Amino acid sequence: MASSNIENLTNQYISMTPCAVVIGVGAVQGIGGAVCLRSAKAGLHVYVAGRTASKIEQVVAQIIKQGGQASAYVIDSTKPAEVTALFQHIADEQRVPELVVHNVGGNTPSRFLHTEASFYEHLWRTTFLAGALVGQEAVRRMLPQGHGTLIFTGASASLRGKPMFAAFAAGKASLRNFAQSLAREFAGQGLHVAHVVIDGAVDGDRINQLGFGVGRVVRTLIKGASGSLKPEAIAENYWHLHQQPIEAWTHELDLRPFKEKF
């Protein structure tokens, strides 16, 4: 980008209001929902982006109920045009991202010898490609203002592969290396890029909707009463990353319950 273009964008962004953008939001009781609520609590207008309108609208309703400001935005983050449209929509509303969180990707297991190529492609798109698209738009919008935080949600699979999770591990490991590349390229220009390894079960909507408390029982039997990560605690760590002084940034943070083996 030419220096004159950056200068023009910088002048334009001075009049814009900072906001948070969280992509990959599902239920209120989940990582994405908790990060949205924490960001709103700090006073940022939050763009709650996800695939399911009913879920993200519930998150927005909860934020408004607690006195915050938020907007719901339905998106398929594996499609470049939709990711670009989201960030353009934010700019059209005279806001500029101060915090962007990429929280997309599900850990669906599959037996290797029975895994179709389409399954690998699907997980690659959700675990890595979506992150690359979001990262590109976030950096493009943050550079002119000379600061901003971009956080990618990783998993145990970002660091190691396990049986049944070859496709998931491939995508998450790619995302981790991608985040490192961005951090090394743009830290000197004021952008804080961080990758968070979620190493353990999250006490969110997925576990707790297994029916009749089965999720909680299973979690307790396997890990103990405090054997899962609380979404609210994860969100506090994300906010801490965003608040870190530029003189001492964390690039990678691993989070796990104190009973989780590693």
Side-chain angles (χ1 to χ4, degrees), residues 11 31 48 50 82 90 96-98 123 144 153 177 194 196 208 215-216 218 254:
N11 293 332
I31 295 176
V48 182
E82 294 195 20
I90 294 168
V96 60
E98 178 178 291
L123 280 193
T153 298
N177 281 282
V196 181
N208 297 325
R216 291 185 180 276
V218 170
D254 57 331

Side-chain angles (χ1 to χ4, degrees), residues 147-198:
H147 64 87
T149 305
L150 173 59
I151 301 176
F152 295 95
T153 298
S156 307
S158 304
L159 306 176
R160 57 188 179 274
K162 287 187 175 181
M164 304 285 288
F165 293 97
F168 183 63
K172 281 297 186 182
S174 297
L175 182 68
R176 181 180 184 235
N177 281 282
F178 172 75
Q180 287 182 8
S181 297
L182 291 192
R184 290 174 172 135
E185 184 171 354
F186 296 107
Q189 299 177 64
L191 303 192
H192 184 188
V193 180
H195 178 260
V196 181
V197 176
I198 305 298

Side-chain angles (χ1 to χ4, degrees), residues 12-13 16 19 47 85-97 141:
Q12 176 187 350
Y13 284 6
M16 291 186 173
C19 68
Y47 286 88
L86 166 60
F87 283 88
Q88 185 57 51
H89 171 73
I90 294 168
D92 290 343
E93 293 194 338
Q94 295 300 300
R95 295 191 178 97
V96 60
R141 307 289 174 161

